[in-house]
Amino acid sequence: MTAPETTAARHVVDDNLFTVGDPPQLIGSRCTVCGVETFPRSKSCSRCTSEQMVDVLLPREGTLWSWTIQGFLPKNPPYAGKETPLTFVPYGVGYVQLAGTDGGDGVIVESRLTENDAAKLTIGMALELTLIPFTTDDAGHEVVTFAFAPVRGAS
């Protein structure tokens, strides 16, 4: 598993959520007792309560299960962006169904979407994990987060 990369010019929003390798991947957990997968990582299983969890790199591609457009500035905190009501740009938010890593049911991940035009989003469309700029830290370094983008050429 590639460790998240924090450089002098670019940081990650949370180094427990994803790798920044080429390509990036979400870091989840799989229960070795019942096979349930979770995101974000978990120390115990939500299905059987076992603490026998292992880290797994989740699939990069999935399908859009449901979505909405975030049309107003989220409350800060917990939102950590530096936009103001005047600079805020609406963004897509969706649930993305990922296949299981070991033949299991997989997991549904809540994520930002790179698309914010409702006319271009459809349930069932193919999406792919990517990294996007989120904000800057107090030292002016870019902070990136993960998002899902429509797969080019997919219908």
Side-chain angles (χ1 to χ4, degrees):
M1 186 174 318
T2 305
E5 174 185 304
T6 296
T7 65
R10 182 171 112 167
H11 296 218
V12 295
V13 70
D14 184 333
D15 60 8
N16 288 307
L17 296 176
F18 55 90
T19 69
V20 294
D22 188 21
Q25 283 185 272
L26 297 178
I27 305 168
S29 297
R30 182 176 56 241
C31 177
T32 61
V33 174
C34 72
V36 75
E37 292 181 350
T38 60
F39 179 81
R41 292 176 176 165
S42 179
K43 293 183 183 205
S44 63
C45 179
S46 60
R47 181 184 292 160
C48 74
T49 70
S50 168
E51 292 185 358
Q52 296 181 42
M53 304 293 284
V54 294
D55 286 351
V56 291
L57 294 177
L58 298 173
R60 297 192 64 249
E61 291 192 8
T63 57
L64 189 56
W65 190 78
S66 185
W67 60 271
T68 191
I69 302 298
Q70 175 73 33
F72 58 89
L73 185 63
K75 189 171 181 158
N76 186 344
Y79 182 71
K82 294 185 178 178
E83 300 98 329
T84 68
L86 294 176
T87 63
F88 176 76
V89 175
Y91 55 88
V93 178
Y95 286 118
V96 181
Q97 174 76 53
L98 303 178
T101 61
D102 198 23
D105 294 335
V107 64
I108 295 176
V109 173
E110 182 179 0
S111 175
R112 261 194 183 202
L113 304 174
T114 61
E115 183 58 63
N116 67 355
D117 181 347
K120 296 180 180 178
L121 294 169
T122 57
I123 292 174
M125 71 186 298
L127 299 173
E128 179 177 42
L129 183 72
T130 189
L131 299 181
I132 61 169
F134 172 62
T135 192
T136 56
D137 65 16
D138 292 337
H141 301 132
E142 179 181 67
V143 178
V144 297
T145 192
F146 68 93
F148 280 86
V151 173
R152 296 178 196 252
S155 51

